[in-house]
Amino acid sequence: LPGMMAGADAGSIQAQSGLGGPPPLPQLDKARSLFDAHAPNELPELRRLYLRLALQFHPDKRPEEERTSATELFQAIAAVYEELWEKLNPQQDRQRSAPRVKSPVAAAAELGDLAELRRLLEASPFAAAEP
């Protein structure tokens, strides 16, 4: 999978050239490089990498002045994750889409990162009620 994102096929998210599809995500190359650096080749490994990236780059964890850029990167990370999920997922499981992260608290909980989970909940106790 190293370099897998660089050679994405015509149906990929990068091929959205404005011909009927949404515009390309502005930080797609940066998101791809984050995944390429770790080259996940199995779904559980891909999921854990996505959770770590989501936890690290979630817009809610960024200062207000960085939120727009952080949101663009977070959306690109999710798009690359879904593209890789499709490539790694066996044909018979294609009905099941790539599960997304709803919040930093959810990502920390799924990763079992108790220190980060504690820090997030201390900073915002009501975050535990978020999906």
Side-chain angles (χ1 to χ4, degrees), residues 1 4-6 8 12-14 25 27-37 40 46 49-50 53 72-88 98 100:
L1 276 183
M4 176 172 153
M5 298 312 305
S12 75
I13 51 181
Q14 183 62 39
L25 295 167
Q27 296 202 37
L28 199 54
D29 289 337
K30 183 175 181 180
R32 283 190 171 137
S33 70
L34 292 170
F35 281 91
D36 276 348
L46 174 63
L49 175 57
Y50 168 65
L53 293 173
E72 290 172 354
L73 179 57
F74 189 75
Q75 290 170 342
I77 287 169
V80 172
Y81 167 63
E82 289 177 355
E83 186 175 273
L84 286 171
W85 181 275
E86 288 296 317
K87 290 181 187 254
L88 293 175
R100 288 225 180 162

Side-chain angles (χ1 to χ4, degrees), residues 29-104:
D29 289 337
K30 183 175 181 180
R32 283 190 171 137
S33 70
L34 292 170
F35 281 91
D36 276 348
H38 301 284
N41 58 13
E42 294 183 9
L43 289 175
E45 182 182 346
L46 174 63
R47 176 70 180 165
R48 288 191 62 76
L49 175 57
Y50 168 65
L51 289 171
R52 277 193 238 100
L53 293 173
L55 191 56
Q56 182 177 357
F57 294 104
H58 198 286
D60 290 350
K61 295 182 71 177
R62 311 316 272 170
E64 188 65 37
E65 61 274 5
E66 296 177 15
R67 291 257 169 93
T68 300
S69 177
T71 298
E72 290 172 354
L73 179 57
F74 189 75
Q75 290 170 342
I77 287 169
V80 172
Y81 167 63
E82 289 177 355
E83 186 175 273
L84 286 171
W85 181 275
E86 288 296 317
K87 290 181 187 254
L88 293 175
N89 205 7
Q91 288 290 350
Q92 65 269 23
D93 284 348
R94 288 280 168 99
Q95 295 87 346
R96 195 179 74 181
S97 64
R100 288 225 180 162
V101 168
K102 305 267 192 245
S103 71

